[in-house]
Amino acid sequence: MTAWQELGAGAGRQERPAARWNGSAPRPDADPPWPGSWQPLGARFRTDPEGGRGTNFALWAPNAEAVDLCLFDERGRESRHRLAEQTYQTWHGYLPGVLPGTRYGFRVHGRWDPWTGARHNPAKLLLDPYARAIDGAYTAHDATCAAVRNWPERDVADTVRDDRDSAPYVPKAVVVDDADDWYDDQRPKTPWAETVLYELHVRGFTMRHPEVPPELRGTYAGLAHPAAVGHLVRLGVTAVELLPVHHHVSEDHLQARGLVNYWGYNTLGYFAPHAGYAATGSRGQQVGEFKRMVRALHAAGIEVILDVVYNHTAEQGVMGPALSFRGIDNAGYYRPDRSRRGYADYTGCGNTLDTRRPQVIRLITDSLRYWVAEMGVDGFRFDLAAALARGGDGVEMEHPFLAAVSQDPLLSRVKLIAEPWDVGPGGYQVGGFPPLWGEWNDHYRDTVRDFWRGARPDVRELATRLSGSSDLYQRGGRRPYASVNFVTAHDGFTLRDLVSYDRKHNGANGEDNRDGTDDNRSWNHGAEGETDDPAVRALRLRQLRNLLTTLLLSSGVPMLTAGDEMGRTQGGNNNAYCQDNETSWLDWSLLDDPGWRSLAELTAKLVHLRRAHPVLRQRAFFSGRPAGPDGQRDLAWLTPAGREMTDADWFSPGQALAVRLSGSAMSERDQRGRELRDASFLLLLNAAPEPRRFTLPAPHVPLLDTALAGDPEPAEVTQVLLTGRSAVLLTAR
């Protein structure tokens, strides 16, 4: 027999190999489990009917012919226990004496028939999809693939089964004692209209924080440290949006280059906190540490929102590793292509979970409910959410997954944010999601970037974005807070890099600068990258103030990206997904520089202004009609001459705009039905390079001027000479 024949029994439909053991692993002849229960799915530690302690295991595997539960001792030795019971397509059994901290996995026997989507292979140790904790690393090795990766006939390689044992190279699930009543937790329950999001990476946020103990940096405990929480409180943000904390692994191509998937958009376990972010251990300790982090943030009035990746898994394409879903029921979890051998890929990551199937919807909604009810989180941002709503003919806003979430008594009460696109045809769905959902609004991002770099001929689009994007969100009874406004996010330039680079500089990623978008809408202001030119540096800092002021004074929900308030840079890398180093970690020493410290202070001032004044965070769209005792419009757009804009003004070229928000003409009421009243504000914007004089409709007092490092003089004025490329906020007395 040749070496190739030893790896796979053949490439043709007539040569499908029978299951066989590799000779060194034990056969499934250990003590058989008790029958146990078919629900709940996963491993649940409990007390058995005789008063003993043990764990019930349940795995949905509808097309399996047999399932072996594999336990691993402290030395890594494996014992196998055949699950003899099957109820409603779920294999189950109870093992007395199996305690929390025990590592386990499954081997699933069944047909190897890639032509119909069946890819069972008992040589591959599979992770429990419902694992509450995961221990151990994934090592890129050919034995992890269910098929023979190096089969010489590449067009049929995915049909040739690889019978090498994968257990030495894959993570194991961990039994967890997850009893916790959350009696001492107080959820902030911040209303949508009052929300200010702060997107951060658990590891990167504290890796360089001088006040966080070294052993806690980069962990859940580090984020819960008073020094980290204190910064969030000083800024005034109401919620952290955490980049993926579901347990994830690094792709083979990154491991080959000595890199890692730092962002974490390569999920392996939908119920398990990522073990790499735990200071206390990976044998279940990560669960308690995550919960304590949530409690600490809640105690400070800060909600926790998770960035979740349910659109695809870490198993990638058909020649990717068989780590869990592929070996349990490939055709039941993944959306097939027309050949049924491959996958429909609407994610760019090799596979797409098939949310048309009830069991996949159950997996996702069970996971979501677990993170809310048992881990304490307050909402979710769904990566490539359009992929979750794909039916038979494209994206469907009445999709069963969206319906399941909207009618769920628990999930319908938490914050739901969609990244409203995927990479497939018809996948761009900004403005299309139903009520209850907020959306990342890339129209807002692109418009604000273009305005401040002088790339827009007029101010029409900017006005729409500043006032809540009613063109996108007013239909169907949605509110302005359906628009999650952002100028930067983890994906792309940091705010400082946005005003410092015309081009991406991604060479460190090892992809010859091909990765990352080329549509940055950035401007280096005369020098590529860092410079000593004082004029360029001053203009860049002013532009940062402009961008933050615009973001935090717009209707909708603002999202800040961690570090933007202190001038974090990635050196022009706009796709730092694989940079687990100082490129991505926050540099807290920036706050020692007066210029960057003043930027952080301005950010905090803007956030606190927004939180203090309901007129700056409207819960309903503006009507533009006269209202209130003084007959003012709730929203009025003014020319630099101080008169209300006409149709001709809207269509005329221009880079200057004034917007008046009337606190006496608000359409909102308090909880007792009384009309709300607030101060009135006037925001002046000038994106032109030359100064512009604004005449005010009445005397106003300046609150901030982005051309100044400090506060303006608090004296009433009737005219303002706006520096080129600057913004001024005033209030009426």
Side-chain angles (χ1 to χ4, degrees):
M1 200 175 198
T2 68
W4 293 114
Q5 289 170 323
E6 290 175 359
L7 289 175
R13 178 181 286 271
Q14 307 304 318
E15 299 179 289
R16 299 173 196 160
R20 63 176 184 271
W21 302 103
N22 64 13
S24 59
R27 291 180 178 275
D29 53 7
D31 293 338
W34 300 358
S37 173
W38 64 277
Q39 60 178 348
L41 293 172
R44 292 297 182 94
F45 172 68
R46 60 180 176 83
T47 301
D48 64 48
E50 298 182 2
R53 297 190 303 169
T55 300
N56 189 83
F57 297 89
L59 177 73
W60 178 80
N63 294 302
E65 296 170 0
V67 173
D68 295 324
L69 167 66
C70 307
L71 304 182
F72 294 84
D73 65 15
E74 294 302 320
R75 296 174 58 185
R77 293 176 300 188
E78 177 184 350
S79 63
R80 300 183 187 175
H81 307 259
R82 179 64 54 87
L83 298 179
E85 300 291 329
Q86 186 188 32
T87 306
Y88 301 133
Q89 301 182 322
T90 299
W91 300 78
H92 54 92
Y94 174 85
L95 273 179
V98 174
L99 304 180
T102 301
R103 295 177 299 162
Y104 72 97
F106 295 106
R107 297 183 187 271
V108 177
H109 303 258
R111 291 185 309 117
W112 175 264
D113 189 9
W115 297 268
T116 60
R119 294 184 177 272
H120 297 106
N121 185 343
K124 310 306 169 185
L125 183 74
L126 305 175
L127 189 79
D128 180 0
Y130 281 71
R132 302 292 181 94
I134 298 172
D135 175 68
Y138 163 66
T139 301
H141 190 282
D142 286 347
T144 64
C145 186
V148 180
R149 278 187 175 155
N150 295 320
W151 191 257
E153 300 172 73
R154 301 303 299 159
D155 60 330
V156 294
D158 71 286
T159 70
V160 185
R161 201 181 72 179
D162 186 322
D163 290 315
R164 291 174 293 179
D165 185 15
S166 69
Y169 312 106
V170 299
K172 281 76 175 175
V174 178
V175 176
V176 173
D177 184 0
D178 51 12
D180 197 326
D181 58 14
W182 286 92
Y183 72 93
D184 58 344
D185 183 62
Q186 295 293 323
R187 294 179 186 254
K189 297 182 180 179
T190 306
W192 259 121
E194 299 174 20
T195 298
V196 178
L197 298 170
Y198 187 81
E199 186 194 43
L200 67 82
H201 190 286
V202 168
R203 179 169 167 81
F205 190 66
T206 60
M207 277 299 293
R208 302 175 69 184
H209 201 302
E211 298 177 41
V212 174
E215 66 274 14
L216 300 184
R217 293 174 187 168
T219 68
Y220 305 119
L223 181 53
H225 190 274
V229 176
H231 180 75
L232 301 172
V233 172
R234 285 189 295 274
L235 278 181
V237 298
T238 69
V240 290
E241 184 176 303
L242 305 181
L243 266 68
V245 296
H246 287 168
H247 193 90
H248 50 267
V249 298
S250 296
E251 298 91 333
D252 293 28
H253 69 90
L254 289 177
Q255 293 191 37
R257 300 202 300 270
L259 299 170
V260 299
N261 190 317
Y262 170 71
W263 286 349
Y265 292 90
N266 199 44
T267 304
L268 179 58
Y270 289 124
F271 292 78
H274 185 62
Y277 301 157
T280 49
S282 59
R283 299 288 286 273
Q285 298 94 333
Q286 61 266 54
V287 178
E289 186 176 331
F290 183 93
K291 291 178 179 179
R292 290 189 292 274
M293 176 198 73
V294 172
R295 281 187 171 94
L297 290 165
H298 282 178
I302 298 170
E303 293 185 308
V304 178
I305 294 174
L306 304 187
D307 195 335
V308 289
V309 189
Y310 294 111
N311 54 78
H312 75 280
T313 78
E315 292 185 306
Q316 303 167 58
V318 290
M319 298 307 292
L323 303 174
S324 181
F325 307 95
R326 177 175 289 133
I328 294 169
D329 195 74
N330 181 64
Y333 278 111
Y334 292 122
R335 189 175 180 125
D337 63 12
R338 292 184 178 180
S339 74
R340 303 201 66 78
R341 274 173 53 186
Y343 302 131
D345 183 8
Y346 299 114
T347 67
C349 300
N351 63 61
T352 306
L353 281 178
D354 195 347
T355 52
R356 298 172 300 180
R357 298 182 176 274
Q359 185 58 32
V360 175
I361 294 177
R362 180 186 177 187
L363 170 76
I364 298 173
T365 53
D366 282 353
S367 169
L368 294 170
R369 282 189 290 267
Y370 170 73
W371 285 96
V372 174
E374 299 192 43
M375 301 295 274
V377 307
D378 306 286
F380 306 93
R381 179 265 187 188
F382 292 79
D383 179 67
L384 298 182
L388 301 174
R390 282 198 173 268
D393 298 314
V395 180
E396 302 169 355
M397 289 305 159
E398 296 181 353
H399 191 279
F401 168 71
L402 298 180
V405 171
S406 68
Q407 61 78 42
D408 187 281
L410 181 62
L411 300 180
S412 60
R413 297 202 303 268
V414 303
K415 289 184 168 69
L416 304 170
I417 303 171
E419 182 184 36
W421 51 77
D422 63 22
V423 302
Y428 187 75
Q429 293 289 326
V430 174
F433 276 72
L436 298 184
W437 287 81
E439 297 177 19
W440 272 25
N441 185 352
D442 64 336
H443 286 260
Y444 180 94
R445 175 198 65 197
D446 294 348
T447 299
V448 171
R449 288 185 179 191
D450 280 349
F451 175 76
W452 283 113
R453 71 189 179 106
R456 289 205 168 264
D458 54 52
V459 295
R460 284 176 295 159
E461 181 79 3
L462 179 71
T464 302
R465 303 302 153 225
L466 291 177
S467 57
S469 296
S470 59
D471 60 328
L472 298 173
Y473 300 112
Q474 196 164 17
R475 297 185 301 274
R478 300 175 80 184
R479 298 295 190 100
Y481 45 75
S483 177
V484 175
N485 299 330
F486 66 105
V487 178
T488 63
H490 66 275
D491 188 0
F493 280 147
T494 67
L495 201 66
R496 178 174 170 181
D497 288 355
L498 189 69
V499 301
S500 304
Y501 294 90
D502 280 351
R503 304 178 303 279
K504 65 187 181 185
H505 297 263
N506 298 356
N509 296 351
E511 300 178 40
D512 298 323
N513 210 40
R514 295 189 303 270
D515 62 304
T517 183
D518 292 311
D519 182 20
N520 295 293
R521 302 177 189 237
S522 59
W523 178 30
N524 67 18
H525 295 82
E528 186 72 0
E530 297 305 306
T531 178
D532 294 327
D533 186 321
V536 173
R537 289 164 63 93
L539 179 54
R540 287 177 177 176
L541 187 56
R542 187 158 74 248
Q543 289 281 52
L544 294 179
R545 296 189 189 110
N546 293 335
L547 291 163
L548 288 168
T549 298
T550 306
L551 174 65
L552 290 166
L553 297 181
S554 296
S555 288
V557 175
M559 185 185 78
L560 295 161
T561 303
D564 277 353
E565 76 279 8
M566 63 179 80
R568 184 175 77 89
T569 177
Q570 293 179 168
N573 191 325
N574 74 351
N575 190 36
Y577 78 104
C578 56
Q579 298 298 320
D580 186 9
N581 50 50
E582 293 186 355
T583 297
S584 298
W585 303 340
L586 266 68
D587 180 3
W588 292 90
S589 70
L590 289 166
L591 291 176
D592 297 331
D593 181 288
W596 299 124
R597 186 169 61 250
S598 70
L599 187 68
E601 291 168 352
L602 173 68
T603 305
K605 178 178 180 177
L606 287 163
V607 172
H608 287 283
L609 264 174
R610 182 185 182 91
R611 294 186 66 177
H613 293 282
V615 73
L616 298 177
R617 44 179 172 82
Q618 299 276 340
R619 290 183 295 178
F621 286 104
F622 296 103
S623 69
R625 294 187 295 271
D630 54 5
Q632 284 194 354
R633 303 179 190 274
D634 56 358
L635 175 74
W637 303 100
L638 310 176
T639 68
R643 58 176 174 78
E644 290 195 15
M645 294 182 67
T646 64
D647 287 346
D649 293 321
W650 284 117
F651 285 87
S652 297
Q655 295 175 290
L657 179 70
V659 54
R660 184 180 63 206
L661 301 169
S662 174
S664 64
M666 297 176 62
S667 61
E668 296 185 33
R669 299 178 177 229
D670 64 16
Q671 292 182 343
R672 299 182 62 180
R674 296 170 300 197
E675 292 183 347
L676 285 178
R677 292 290 180 263
D678 194 8
S680 295
F681 292 90
L682 188 62
L683 177 63
L684 315 179
L685 306 173
N686 179 26
E690 63 277 351
R692 191 69 186 266
R693 186 172 298 278
F694 280 79
T695 299
L696 310 184
H700 282 70
V701 178
L703 294 178
L704 67 87
D705 184 341
T706 62
L708 304 175
D711 293 330
E713 289 292 327
E716 285 192 346
V717 295
T718 56
Q719 285 192 338
V720 174
L721 181 62
L722 227 65
T723 303
R725 298 193 175 98
S726 69
V728 171
L729 177 68
L730 309 99
T731 187
R733 276 194 178 158

